[in-house]
Amino acid sequence: MTKRLILLSLVLSTCLLVLGLGAHASRAGVFEAGSQRNTLKGEGVIVAMGNSLTAGYGISESEAYPARLQKQLAADGYAYRVVNAGISGETSSGALSRVQWILTLKPDIVILETGANDGFRGIDPALVEKNIDETVRILHESGATVVLAGMQIVRNLGKEYTDAFNAIYPRVAHKHGVILIPFFLEGVAGEPELNQADTIHPTARGYEIITKTVYPYVLKAIEKRKAEGTQNP
């Protein structure tokens, strides 16, 4: 009988020890997960709105800048989902026509890259500016933080046209107080080794550079939202 009591006591002690360790591990797991959430620098939705330069024409979507941007943000502790909303061939008129659809994605930040196709087609800069201005206005008034990707004409359409076109982006950004990337294709445009055979669309290597160009302006947008009290918890 005494041996049985001793054996039963040992079994009960072991069970209690295991249960205690399990509870401790469970509490530790909750604490660790909570701590990880608390260390996030921000979370939300970023919509990359644009044409084939955003969509990633000629390469896999994972190599285009929106996917690379999300990976970089995650590596730096930002839990933002980046939506690739690029449509090949789109002009600034097309961008304006679908801006309400973009808002259904409930973006916290919108990177607007548009106008290059207008420039290639020689569309009147006044119309291009009107379209971009209205698109930015709608996005901005919706509460989204706008990052406007500046474009420059890289083909010779004459100095007057080139100057008028290149002036659109800083003027619109200043008018609405949005963040401006001076030139989206900085370091990539005109570089044969960074562009596909058509000399227009970047290669995977080209998108590495574009992501590095865009990234600090996205961080600025995140900080701007935080300062304005619109940062997601």
Side-chain angles (χ1 to χ4, degrees), residues 134-198:
E134 183 65 5
T135 302
V136 169
R137 182 192 68 78
I138 293 169
L139 291 171
H140 187 57
E141 290 183 358
S142 77
T145 300
V146 179
V147 178
L148 180 60
M151 281 293 162
Q152 297 176 11
I153 293 298
V154 294
R155 292 183 173 178
N156 185 19
L157 293 174
K159 186 177 187 305
E160 183 178 352
Y161 185 92
T162 300
D163 290 347
F165 185 93
N166 294 347
I168 292 171
Y169 299 88
R171 189 158 52 234
V172 171
H174 178 75
K175 176 180 177 181
H176 296 282
V178 301
I179 297 167
L180 174 68
I181 302 171
F183 185 29
F184 181 74
L185 296 174
E186 183 67 45
V188 177
E191 300 294 335
E193 69 277 10
L194 298 176
N195 289 279
Q196 298 174 46
D198 62 11

Side-chain angles (χ1 to χ4, degrees), residues 4 6-7 12 29 31 51 57 114-115 121 135 138 141-142 157 176 179 190 200 207 215-216 225 233:
R4 288 181 178 178
I6 293 173
L7 182 60
L12 287 172
F31 176 76
N51 49 47
Y57 175 86
T114 190
R121 299 173 189 181
T135 302
I138 293 169
E141 290 183 358
S142 77
L157 293 174
H176 296 282
I179 297 167
I200 296 172
Y207 276 111
Y215 193 64
R225 289 187 68 77

Side-chain angles (χ1 to χ4, degrees), residues 49 87 90-99 114 118 131 135:
M49 180 182 182
I87 295 181
E90 184 176 74
T91 63
S92 62
S93 295
L96 177 58
S97 71
R98 69 183 178 112
V99 68
T114 190
D118 301 73
N131 290 335
T135 302

